[in-house]
Amino acid sequence: MTETTQNTVHDTGRAGLKGENRLFAARVGIGLIQGLLLYALYRAADGKAWPSTEPELFGGLALAVGFAPVAALAGVGRLRWPALAIWIGVAGLVLFLLGWHDVARRVLGDYDQAPFLKFPVMAFAAAALFIAHHLLTPAVRARRWLVDYHQYFDVAWKAGVQLALSLGFTGAFWILLQLGAALFDLIGLKFLTDLVRSAWFAMPVTCTAFAIAVQLTDVRDGLIRGVRTVALMLLSWLLLVITVLAAGFLAALPFTGLEPLWATRSATAMILAATAALIILINTAYQDGEPDNLPPLVLRIATRVASVLVAPLVVLAIWGLSLRIGQHGLTQDRIIAAACAFIGVVYAVGYLFAAVRPGAWMKPLERTNVVAAVLSVLTILALFSPLLDPTRLSVSDQVARLERGKVKAADFDYGFLRFDSGKAGRAALDRLAASTDAETARLAREAKASDNRSAYSPDETRELARQVKIEPIAGQTLPPDFMAQIQSQPDLALNCRSDEACVLRMTDLDGDGRQDVLLANGAVILAFTQGEDGRWRQRARYNATCGGAPPIDLKAALKAGVETAPMRLPDLIVNGRRLQFWPETRCDAEAAR
């Protein structure tokens, strides 16, 4: 080897090392900055300081800070700095707006805490970012709108393996930290335990560890490709399992009929999940479509069969969804399911065409995947923005069903507008409270005044109300207004089902001249008082067993009679605030005096 050649080799090695060092520094810097920003948001939330005092702003910042740096980690070294900066800026802005909208459309309650975001927007935003990033990266690098399919495949599946390994590395890192802290605890040194439990340490270190893992997996390109090859090979053989199961399911339907399927009330979700699994496993068998990666014959046959099965599964999902929408109208979940079914239609048509088309094996699948990926990103952006906001659309549809008589006023779910549909639902409830239909207006006003959301749907509420059985004591009748309220709030009648009827007694508990209700089953007595608005509310609960004393048959005791006793200790007034007396539970003779 000549001296010139040796110098060239050494220079190339130094240049490569410098490049790796710059990438390492860039990724560690991104991870550290993300961790510090997350810690700053955490401190603001913990101290109830700005920006946590502005929920919409905080939600947008949390989503952007949580996800945009991950895209930056994936783009470093693959995109030129100007292109990467523009892309991360656009992605961060879009994430911020999605987070802002998710919080702004809702009515926050006492239990809503920072970051105020719901799980769907976080999950779908992450999916959209992943898809968009790996559509953009190969196109920008090739300086073309569309690139060859194998480039999309290579970038996306490599990134998926990197993500899984990086998350695993970060988890293992924390397991070792916890183990080390436990070892020091054994000898009385608590400093490491205190350190790992500190947010100022945990958040920056976690993000930095993840960034280092991304860098380590990135510089071992051959290793990552090897892991990806093994993972795809193993997953592709699972295609045989899901294909047999899906085919068997479809073949059994003519014999079982569709009624058992629809009776589950979750058929659409399960079928869409099975379809998604089928699509993923089809792609693990097809891979990048290059001749070198052609799978064995049995997998090629299974891929064609599975691609045909996607279409009937999507049709079944749409059929079940349309039945539920026709019966009960749109809800947020059904709108999201409809969006997923729309993407499923694209896959079904494309894969069916690829399976039956002669020529290169499954070649049309490539274009289908790209088109579906673009549509998935656009659909997610539309769903979690004002354009196709599921909450607004479901409120509009449900109110329209009520107004055109599709649903009777007594059967309408006013609780959905009051508790589950944010500002759009509250506005619709205000309009219904001013309705010219007296019953609709009354029920809407009652829903506005309600503080608790029933855990049951209107159909379930009516069924539970039919099962309630209450017997008055001799000489008394059931109070009509109390029984009418039970029709809409069967939870008031605790365990008063047909197999264990409750005993009801009317009495004046507080001496205000108004009758109150005592309702007893075998183990508890509930006390209800009627407010100025005419609504009955539970005010007290009396237990029959405590301290090892023998149980009392409260139903028989309530029939025999009841007396009231003055409180042994009063409430306290402390610094102008009333502290309620909360007695210790006692059943001895002294407590009875």
Side-chain angles (χ1 to χ4, degrees):
M1 183 181 294
T2 65
E3 184 178 351
T4 303
T5 304
Q6 289 177 340
N7 291 337
T8 301
V9 171
H10 290 316
D11 290 343
T12 302
R14 284 194 295 269
L17 184 60
K18 289 180 180 179
E20 286 187 14
N21 290 339
R22 284 196 294 269
L23 287 177
F24 180 83
R27 285 195 166 110
V28 169
I30 291 170
L32 183 60
I33 291 171
Q34 181 189 25
L36 292 173
L37 289 175
L38 288 175
Y39 174 66
L41 292 176
Y42 168 80
R43 283 298 304 271
D46 188 53
K48 294 181 172 53
W50 187 90
S52 68
T53 53
E54 301 288 339
E56 297 89 348
L57 175 63
F58 194 93
L61 290 174
L63 197 63
V65 172
F67 291 143
V70 179
L73 291 174
V76 168
R78 294 185 176 88
L79 296 175
R80 294 180 180 274
W81 285 107
L84 179 62
I86 293 172
W87 160 234
I88 297 305
V90 171
L93 177 60
V94 171
L95 288 168
F96 175 83
L97 293 175
L98 291 179
W100 179 289
H101 174 70
D102 183 64
V103 179
R105 66 187 175 84
R106 292 187 284 117
V107 177
L108 298 180
D110 295 335
Y111 298 101
D112 287 295
Q113 298 178 350
F116 308 109
L117 298 166
K118 291 289 188 180
F119 175 76
V121 71
M122 293 189 285
F124 280 96
L129 181 64
F130 183 89
I131 297 169
H133 180 81
H134 296 100
L135 286 172
L136 179 74
T137 298
V140 171
R141 292 171 64 178
R143 299 188 177 184
R144 292 190 295 161
W145 287 104
L146 293 174
V147 297
D148 294 335
Y149 181 75
H150 72 86
Q151 294 176 270
Y152 290 123
F153 172 85
D154 183 65
V155 170
W157 281 90
K158 179 185 174 183
V161 172
Q162 279 187 280
L163 178 62
L165 292 176
S166 299
L167 290 174
F169 174 88
T170 307
F173 170 80
W174 269 101
I175 291 173
L176 293 177
L177 275 184
Q178 296 288 351
L179 179 59
L183 289 175
F184 278 93
D185 284 350
L186 293 176
I187 57 176
L189 298 178
K190 304 290 187 181
F191 73 94
L192 189 55
T193 297
D194 295 337
L195 184 66
V196 299
R197 290 179 179 175
S198 301
W200 66 264
F201 173 83
M203 290 184 177
V205 165
T206 300
C207 294
T208 303
F210 179 80
I212 291 172
V214 173
Q215 173 66 16
L216 293 176
T217 55
D218 199 41
V219 298
R220 300 291 184 267
D221 190 67
L223 177 62
I224 296 301
R225 292 182 188 277
V227 173
R228 183 185 68 183
T229 299
V230 173
L232 289 172
M233 183 270 292
L234 293 174
L235 290 173
S236 65
W237 285 100
L238 292 178
L239 178 62
L240 293 173
V241 178
I242 191 66
T243 300
V244 170
L245 293 174
F249 166 75
L250 292 171
L253 286 180
F255 302 98
T256 64
L258 295 176
E259 286 304 319
L261 188 64
W262 306 146
T264 63
R265 298 188 178 184
S266 59
T268 297
M270 291 300 297
I271 292 172
L272 287 175
T275 304
L278 204 59
I279 291 169
I280 292 171
L281 293 177
I282 287 171
N283 281 278
T284 63
Y286 185 79
Q287 298 189 28
D288 59 2
E290 295 296 308
D292 293 343
N293 292 322
L294 195 67
L297 178 61
V298 64
L299 282 181
R300 296 203 299 272
I301 295 173
T303 301
R304 286 191 185 273
V305 174
S307 298
V308 172
L309 295 178
V310 171
L313 287 175
V314 171
V315 169
L316 270 178
I318 293 174
W319 189 355
L321 185 61
S322 63
L323 289 176
R324 296 295 292 172
I325 292 174
Q327 293 169 348
H328 305 291
L330 291 175
T331 62
Q332 293 123 313
D333 291 342
R334 289 174 196 145
I335 292 172
I336 293 175
C340 294
F342 165 69
I343 302 300
V345 169
V346 177
Y347 279 111
V349 173
Y351 281 28
L352 181 60
F353 178 67
V356 301
R357 177 180 178 271
W361 179 65
M362 298 293 294
K363 195 66 175 177
L365 176 148
E366 299 178 0
R367 182 170 296 180
T368 300
N369 283 345
V370 175
V371 171
V374 174
L375 287 177
S376 295
V377 174
L378 296 177
T379 301
I380 291 172
L381 295 180
L383 279 176
F384 294 96
S385 70
L387 187 61
L388 292 179
D389 182 1
T391 301
R392 176 176 54 81
L393 294 179
S394 59
V395 167
S396 178
D397 179 72
Q398 292 292 342
V399 172
R401 285 165 55 85
L402 173 65
E403 291 175 341
R404 66 173 180 264
K406 181 75 173 179
V407 180
K408 296 180 180 178
D411 297 337
F412 186 74
D413 189 358
Y414 299 92
F416 167 72
L417 301 182
R418 173 71 172 83
F419 298 101
D420 300 335
S421 51
K423 295 176 182 177
R426 296 288 180 90
L429 196 60
D430 289 339
R431 293 196 302 272
L432 292 179
S435 172
T436 55
D437 182 81
E439 186 176 13
T440 297
R442 177 181 63 82
L443 293 172
R445 287 194 296 269
E446 289 179 0
K448 288 179 62 177
S450 176
D451 296 327
N452 297 310
R453 171 70 161 111
S454 172
Y456 307 105
S457 69
D459 291 341
E460 292 169 330
T461 298
R462 287 191 293 272
E463 178 60 29
L464 290 173
R466 282 194 292 268
Q467 297 175 14
V468 171
K469 188 174 181 180
I470 299 175
E471 299 172 352
I473 66 169
Q476 291 188 353
T477 58
L478 296 175
D481 48 2
F482 181 77
M483 298 306 296
Q485 189 170 332
I486 284 178
Q487 296 302 309
S488 60
Q489 291 179 270
D491 287 348
L492 287 177
L494 180 65
N495 295 330
C496 299
R497 301 294 179 258
S498 55
D499 57 343
E500 186 183 356
C502 288
V503 172
L504 181 144
R505 186 182 192 104
M506 300 290 294
T507 187
D508 184 2
L509 290 174
D510 51 9
D512 64 353
R514 302 174 64 178
Q515 292 292 295
D516 305 309
V517 166
L518 293 175
L519 192 65
N521 64 12
V524 67
I525 294 177
L526 302 179
F528 298 89
T529 61
Q530 192 173 29
E532 296 297 332
D533 58 357
R535 304 289 292 175
W536 290 88
R537 294 175 176 83
Q538 181 182 329
R539 296 302 187 190
R541 177 190 181 105
Y542 304 92
N543 294 321
T545 58
C546 60
I552 306 170
D553 185 352
L554 288 182
K555 292 196 293 185
L558 192 63
K559 289 180 181 179
V562 63
E563 299 178 15
T564 60
M567 297 293 292
R568 295 289 301 272
L569 295 173
D571 292 345
L572 299 179
I573 306 297
V574 178
N575 197 24
R577 298 183 63 182
R578 183 171 184 145
L579 306 183
Q580 287 188 323
F581 168 61
W582 192 269
E584 293 292 332
T585 302
R586 299 181 58 190
C587 296
D588 54 23
E590 181 183 353
R593 289 198 296 268

